[in-house]
Amino acid sequence: MLNMKLKYKRQGAYTEERKSRTEKKSIIEAPLSEKMIYPMNMHIGKPAEPIVEVGDDVKMGQLIAEKQGFVSANIYSSVSGTVESIEEKPSMHGPHLAIVIKNDFKDTPAPALTSTQEDLTSQDKLSLIERAGIVGMGGATFPTHVKLSPPKGKAIDTLIINGAECETYSTADHRLMIESAEEIVAGIKELLTLFPIKQTYIAIESNVHDSVCALKQAIGDDERIQIKELETIYPQGAEKRLIKTLVNREVPSGGLPLDVHTIVANVSTVRAAHLAIQKGLPLMDRVTTVTGEPIKDPQNFRVRIGTPIQVLIDACGGFVEKTGKMLHGGPMMGKPITSGQVPITKGTSVISFLPKEEVKVDERTPCIKCAECLNVCPVNLQPILISNAYEQGDIDEAERLGAMDCIDCGNCSYICPANIPLLDNIRQAKTEIKARKEKSS
């Protein structure tokens, strides 16, 4: 756990900014890897199922794993080459089935998803987004076609585009908004054709004003799209928080933004939707920040999905000091990983390397009942009670206390003076709750 300087207020934290080493650096192309690794579980929902076999030749943009059910997502090869193996490989979720492709470095392209972009209906566009394997690229990885398919009776009137990049080190979305503003706005306009939207907001934190300038220029005189600069506070980018802040609507416990007539989509996601609809491109790459004090030359990379993290470490010049922890994500919400062979996936916005001397190893002590974890929870949960229920094996009580409403922001763990692993316990409780529901369904 990073020993950062934090100032807290009710339902949030003013985190110490550590974006200065990458916030002014333009996006660069990441080197290609000799072997690409595609985990079948790089999205929320059922894992995809391989449709290729060992020894098959594949093209860049070819479907290699097919979605299973509605809440799932297709996976495409981001290079051309040969399927070397289909086996368990390290991933951010632990060992999981993956397709390994030996890159031939030719980038031989597969046919586009569509041969025409003219006269596409709303259903055509939604189908392209689904076929392209697009998911929430801010980190949640919820399949985008599901988010854009509200059930009957739930009309959508509000679209929020999330550019509030609140993790301590991440600058991927910041740079994308500056360098690809026109594609982001084009993607927003595509989504506006799917619903009778009454209000559209691009949410950006006030510490990235240069993004606002780029987006305003791309928007031009289109009055349907408004930019909202928000206070720089963690976790401003949480979708439930954005909805409350921008339109004063409360997503019900256990509910989704659809329940309050709202869709929230990350800026990278809407850009990917634009590329799928207008160019017939599946999701094959993304922008990822690789940074942290131990990294010699941190960068914002446009990186092919499936690239092992070690390739990016090498492209940054390696390390200048010992690393205390490697995180898939940032220090607040990120998950520790121990292998450079873990690949970049659809939801990898930042890989953070924490200095050894700043990683907390403080001993856990009994709860002092300070209630600070309650004070900083942005969704009004009682983290210590959920954690206690999990540790006591009472998963029913953890669920009753709202464990599934936790947004994994990590504020509770960082504020806890007793060093209780609140977020870890709540995540485990959520995993067990989900497993029980899947077993009973």
Side-chain angles (χ1 to χ4, degrees):
M1 188 179 295
L2 186 60
N3 186 19
M4 295 190 303
K5 297 176 181 177
L6 302 181
K7 294 180 180 179
Y8 285 87
K9 78 170 194 178
R10 180 72 180 172
Q11 298 184 336
Y14 297 105
T15 60
E16 181 182 347
E17 289 284 315
R18 296 195 175 185
K19 301 175 186 280
S20 61
R21 297 183 72 200
T22 55
E23 63 186 353
K24 301 297 183 184
K25 287 189 174 181
S26 297
I27 299 165
I28 62 172
E29 293 291 331
L32 295 178
S33 175
E34 182 179 345
K35 293 184 181 181
M36 306 293 282
I37 304 166
Y38 304 90
M40 298 296 96
N41 64 339
M42 64 170 86
H43 51 262
I44 284 178
K46 291 185 178 180
E49 187 72 24
I51 59 170
V52 292
E53 296 180 355
V54 174
D56 285 356
D57 292 329
V58 298
K59 296 180 179 179
M60 183 175 69
Q62 179 179 327
L63 181 66
I64 57 173
E66 202 164 51
K67 63 190 288 290
Q68 299 297 300
F70 186 52
V71 184
S72 185
N74 289 333
I75 297 173
Y76 289 81
S77 178
S78 55
V79 298
S80 58
T82 304
V83 177
E84 187 174 86
S85 66
I86 301 175
E87 60 182 322
E88 280 200 351
K89 286 287 184 179
S91 78
M92 66 168 287
H93 302 293
H96 202 277
L97 185 67
I99 297 172
V100 180
I101 293 178
K102 185 176 181 180
N103 187 0
D104 66 10
F105 296 95
K106 295 179 181 178
D107 282 352
T108 306
L113 296 176
T114 178
S115 58
T116 178
Q117 284 73 42
E118 296 180 5
D119 301 321
L120 292 175
T121 65
S122 295
Q123 190 56 46
D124 291 335
K125 294 178 181 180
L126 185 59
S127 176
L128 282 169
I129 290 170
E130 179 177 6
R131 289 171 56 205
I134 298 172
V135 301
M137 296 174 69
T141 66
F142 192 76
T144 301
H145 68 275
V146 179
K147 186 175 283 191
L148 298 177
S149 304
K152 290 182 180 179
K154 292 190 177 180
I156 302 300
D157 62 20
T158 301
L159 176 63
I160 297 174
I161 306 304
N162 191 354
E165 189 172 35
C166 49
E167 267 285 10
T168 302
Y169 286 100
S170 183
T171 56
D173 286 348
H174 176 192
R175 294 310 310 177
L176 188 73
M177 288 187 285
I178 293 172
E179 300 179 43
S180 299
E182 291 188 0
E183 290 180 329
I184 291 169
V185 172
I188 295 171
K189 291 179 179 179
E190 294 290 358
L191 297 189
L192 290 177
T193 66
L194 304 181
F195 308 99
I197 299 293
K198 296 179 181 178
Q199 48 192 355
T200 302
Y201 303 109
I202 305 177
I204 302 177
E205 290 191 307
S206 58
N207 61 341
V208 290
H209 189 72
D210 46 358
S211 300
V212 175
C213 298
L215 287 165
K216 280 184 176 178
Q217 185 173 352
I219 292 168
D221 58 3
D222 192 330
E223 296 181 354
R224 298 175 298 170
I225 306 171
Q226 300 180 50
I227 296 176
K228 294 289 186 181
E229 287 191 71
L230 306 176
E231 179 184 18
T232 302
I233 186 171
Y234 183 85
Q236 189 67 273
E239 63 178 16
K240 292 181 180 179
R241 184 187 183 105
L242 284 179
I243 293 169
K244 176 64 177 175
T245 300
L246 293 175
V247 294
N248 197 29
R249 297 174 183 173
E250 294 268 7
V251 178
S253 177
L256 297 170
L258 296 175
D259 296 321
V260 290
H261 316 294
T262 305
I263 287 174
V264 182
N266 176 264
V267 289
S268 295
T269 306
V270 296
R271 175 182 176 271
H274 161 70
L275 295 177
I277 293 169
Q278 290 300 319
K279 298 185 178 182
L281 293 177
L283 181 53
M284 294 184 289
D285 65 26
R286 64 157 299 126
V287 178
T288 299
T289 303
V290 179
T291 187
E293 286 76 10
I295 288 286
K296 182 177 181 179
D297 186 20
Q299 298 289 342
N300 298 300
F301 290 109
R302 187 174 306 285
V303 56
R304 306 274 183 101
I305 289 166
T307 302
I309 290 169
Q310 186 62 51
V311 172
L312 305 185
I313 296 172
D314 294 342
C316 290
F319 301 110
V320 294
E321 61 178 272
K322 288 186 177 180
T323 297
K325 187 176 287 186
M326 175 168 61
L327 294 171
H328 187 280
M332 297 299 283
M333 294 181 72
K335 296 182 178 180
I337 48 179
T338 57
S339 171
Q341 292 307 302
V342 171
I344 298 298
T345 58
K346 297 176 182 181
T348 312
S349 58
V350 59
I351 300 295
S352 304
F353 295 86
L354 310 186
K356 190 172 183 178
E357 68 275 10
E358 291 192 356
V359 176
K360 282 186 178 180
V361 291
D362 296 340
E363 202 173 303
R364 175 176 173 172
T365 58
C367 172
I368 62 172
K369 297 180 172 55
C370 65
E372 285 303 304
C373 62
L374 281 69
N375 291 336
V376 298
C377 178
V379 289
N380 296 310
L381 298 179
Q382 302 174 82
I384 184 60
L385 298 185
I386 300 172
S387 174
N388 287 345
Y390 168 72
E391 290 189 338
Q392 293 162 11
D394 193 345
I395 303 304
D396 287 333
E397 177 66 2
E399 183 174 13
R400 188 191 70 78
L401 288 165
M404 297 306 294
D405 291 322
C406 172
I407 62 172
D408 291 9
C409 73
N411 275 350
C412 56
S413 287
Y414 270 92
I415 195 64
C416 180
N419 299 304
I420 299 170
L422 298 171
L423 177 58
D424 290 345
N425 285 345
I426 296 171
R427 279 176 168 167
Q428 290 297 324
K430 290 166 68 175
T431 298
E432 291 198 21
I433 292 167
K434 289 177 183 175
R436 289 196 320 178
K437 288 183 176 180
E438 289 175 0
K439 190 174 181 180
S440 63
S441 63

